[in-house]
Amino acid sequence: MTDQNLAIVVLAAGQGTRMKSATPKLLHPLAGMPIVGHVLATAKQLDAAHVVSVVRHERDRLVEVISVDLPESVIVDQDEVPGTGRAVELAVAALPADFSGDVLVVNGDVPLLDAGTLRELIEKHRAGGAAATILSSFPADATGYGRIVRTESGHLDRIVEHKDATDAEREIGEINAGIYLFGLSQLRDQLAALTTDNAQGEKYLTDVIGLLRTAGFDVDALPVSESWLVEGINDRAQLSEAAAKLNALIVRTWQLAGVTIQDPATTWIDVKTRLAPDVTILPGTQLRGATVVETGAVIGPDTTLLDCEVGENATVKRTDGTLAVIGAGATVGPFAYLRPGTILGADGKIGTFVETKNAVIGAGTKLAHFNYVGDAQVGEKSNLGAGVITANYDGVNKHRTEIGSHVRASTNTVFVAPVRMGDGAYTGAGTIVRKDVPAGALALTVAPQRNIEGWVAQKRPGTDAATAAEESGE
């Protein structure tokens, strides 16, 4: 149910220079989603009446993502006045005139903060009657962070920045996590009082806390259960740390749901991947995007699947697959490459050093080794021997190959598309199929074999081969 008394402001205007990247910081991928996508997903779970996203740097690229992930969000552009206080000021101005509830301010670069923690913050704020409630944390090292100084009654008295703190205040382990919940009327009044009269020339949202205390309002601080929940991402090192933490949480979640993951340290699973009970994941496996794996399937080792579907009891070993469908009971790998559009039917096989692309392969059909099948349709229970390929590109256009059911294509057969081979047909070894083959026919392109006697002795005299031939006595 929509919380009619809640508005969420997502701060997404920062430049993120410490990433040293042409990609905006908030769009760097994390477990299959952009960093800001995790924040938007959490905001969506809270079902607020209003969401406002404040953007500036690379705004069009960010708006494109926000519009997909949280289309109900109102987009506000930060103007030339810098600072988080100014961003929130503009966001508040974009709220409907009749809104009078609470305003939750979250940072777009804090992706691990979950909806449960924010719900706890909302409940504490509304039960306590404070003008504002913030999240705090107790990191292992508080150096550089603003310290939470509390009153004797336990309310927040003030936030002291590290550089301004006394030695005694620097001993405080509780820090400001940068997540705020305000009553709108009090917030609006104090935002109007913010100035840029500071070293950075910015309007700071943290100053609102001090203004509220000066005005006599209570402010509360709620410590989070784990400091990593509120850790922001500013550089690539922090991104990798967040990725490792999030992945560990994802892996453990699937383990508790009945999935066997032999080596969590080398297994990476994106947040949108779905696994059924009794799936087994072997070491070195990456399951990315919207990959779905059904019960009883075994994936890995050393396998990467992106946006793939794997059926019940299938086995996928040392394989790279993208946008592929693997049927129930099928086997894939080792060293297979499944490109987009591959559909392998139930109990089928794509074996060693096989590449497929835009190919529908029927139930029970086997491509056991050294095959390339692209832009093709292969029927049921056919067998393509070692080295069989479809030659689908004529240098200008791609063409399709159609191979029927119960076909036997012998070693090193080449299907030169466009071409069709009927049900139950065979080819001889080394056949080049340029014309359609009727059902039940045998296709051969065999030239007479010529043996040139004495060729090695004449053309390669003195070689080991010539000596061996001479000594054989034949």
Side-chain angles (χ1 to χ4, degrees):
M1 181 182 296
T2 299
D3 187 343
Q4 297 295 338
N5 292 313
L6 181 64
I8 299 175
V9 176
V10 180
L11 301 180
Q15 189 171 358
T17 55
R18 280 180 278 177
M19 293 296 276
K20 294 180 171 56
S21 174
T23 300
K25 177 179 74 171
L26 299 186
L27 298 186
H28 275 257
L30 175 66
M33 296 169 57
I35 291 171
V36 73
H38 294 272
V39 179
L40 297 172
T42 299
K44 190 176 186 68
Q45 290 179 56
L46 295 176
D47 203 11
H50 309 285
V51 180
V52 181
S53 298
V54 184
V55 298
R56 180 172 173 82
H57 178 67
E58 295 280 6
R59 61 94 57 199
D60 290 345
R61 295 172 68 179
L62 277 164
V63 168
E64 184 178 356
V65 171
I66 295 169
S67 298
V68 171
D69 289 357
L70 197 63
E72 60 267 35
S73 176
V74 173
I75 303 297
V76 169
D77 289 280
Q78 185 156 359
D79 56 20
E80 297 300 324
V81 180
T84 53
R86 179 56 175 171
V88 173
E89 185 178 16
L90 293 169
V92 167
L95 292 173
D98 60 351
F99 179 75
S100 60
D102 299 316
V103 178
L104 173 64
V105 181
V106 296
N107 293 302
D109 63 357
V110 182
L112 302 187
L113 182 57
D114 63 296
T117 299
L118 291 175
R119 289 191 186 100
E120 186 180 352
L121 172 66
I122 294 167
E123 291 172 4
K124 177 179 175 61
H125 174 76
R126 290 174 175 173
T133 307
I134 73 171
L135 287 181
S136 63
S137 71
F138 289 84
D141 182 3
T143 303
Y145 293 100
R147 304 305 204 280
I148 300 294
V149 180
R150 292 183 177 268
T151 66
E152 291 184 1
S153 61
H155 292 298
L156 186 151
D157 182 38
R158 63 190 186 277
I159 300 172
V160 181
E161 296 303 322
H162 181 87
K163 64 180 182 299
D164 301 322
T166 65
D167 289 342
E169 288 169 338
R170 289 182 180 181
E171 293 299 315
I172 298 173
E174 186 178 13
I175 68 165
N176 173 27
I179 308 297
Y180 305 86
L181 184 60
F182 299 96
L184 176 60
S185 60
Q186 296 93 334
L187 173 62
R188 184 182 281 122
D189 291 343
Q190 304 310 323
L191 285 172
L194 288 180
T195 72
T196 58
D197 186 17
N198 52 62
Q200 298 299 321
E202 298 184 12
K203 286 189 174 185
Y204 291 122
L205 186 59
T206 50
D207 289 347
V208 170
I209 301 300
L211 291 171
L212 286 171
R213 292 292 297 133
T214 300
F217 290 102
D218 284 337
V219 177
D220 282 331
L222 175 65
V224 295
S225 58
E226 300 284 352
S227 61
W228 54 260
L229 285 165
V230 290
E231 289 177 353
I233 295 175
N234 294 299
D235 55 38
R236 313 263 184 154
Q238 291 175 342
L239 176 59
S240 66
E241 291 166 2
K245 182 60 184 179
L246 179 54
N247 188 67
L249 294 171
I250 293 170
V251 166
R252 179 169 174 77
T253 297
W254 287 119
Q255 288 176 315
L256 296 177
V259 176
T260 295
I261 300 176
Q262 286 193 353
D263 186 11
T266 63
T267 300
W268 291 81
I269 304 174
D270 282 352
V271 292
K272 293 184 179 180
T273 291
R274 293 294 174 261
L275 308 175
D278 288 325
V279 165
T280 298
I281 309 298
L282 302 181
T285 294
Q286 298 181 55
L287 301 178
R288 301 172 54 204
T291 293
V292 177
V293 184
E294 300 295 348
T295 188
V298 178
I299 311 297
D302 307 322
T303 293
T304 300
L305 301 179
L306 170 62
D307 295 331
C308 291
E309 299 176 23
V310 181
E312 293 184 4
N313 301 313
T315 299
V316 185
K317 179 189 300 184
R318 289 192 170 90
T319 291
D320 189 297
T322 300
L323 287 168
V325 177
I326 299 166
T331 61
V332 178
F335 310 116
Y337 180 27
L338 277 54
R339 293 166 60 189
T342 295
I343 300 176
L344 176 61
D347 300 315
K349 178 175 183 178
I350 293 177
T352 307
F353 298 110
V354 175
E355 178 181 345
T356 57
K357 185 267 293 186
N358 193 24
V360 179
I361 300 159
T365 287
K366 297 180 179 181
L367 285 63
H369 28 230
F370 304 108
N371 306 114
Y372 170 71
V373 176
D375 300 304
Q377 174 95 28
V378 184
E380 297 181 354
K381 297 183 178 179
S382 290
N383 189 301
L384 307 189
V388 173
I389 69 166
T390 60
N392 56 328
Y393 184 49
D394 64 7
V396 178
N397 298 306
K398 300 287 182 70
H399 301 279
R400 289 192 65 78
T401 297
E402 296 181 19
I403 300 171
S405 298
H406 299 278
V407 165
R408 298 293 183 268
S410 295
T411 300
N412 290 331
T413 294
V414 178
F415 293 94
V416 182
V419 70
R420 182 181 183 281
M421 188 166 186
D423 293 343
Y426 278 57
T427 68
T431 296
I432 300 176
V433 180
R434 300 179 183 276
K435 300 178 181 179
D436 291 352
V437 179
L442 171 64
L444 299 170
T445 52
V446 179
Q449 179 175 318
R450 284 201 309 150
N451 297 333
I452 302 175
E453 297 286 344
W455 184 91
V456 172
Q458 295 175 18
K459 301 296 185 181
R460 301 290 186 271
T463 64
D464 291 342
T467 301
E470 182 179 359
E471 291 177 351
S472 71
E474 295 184 13

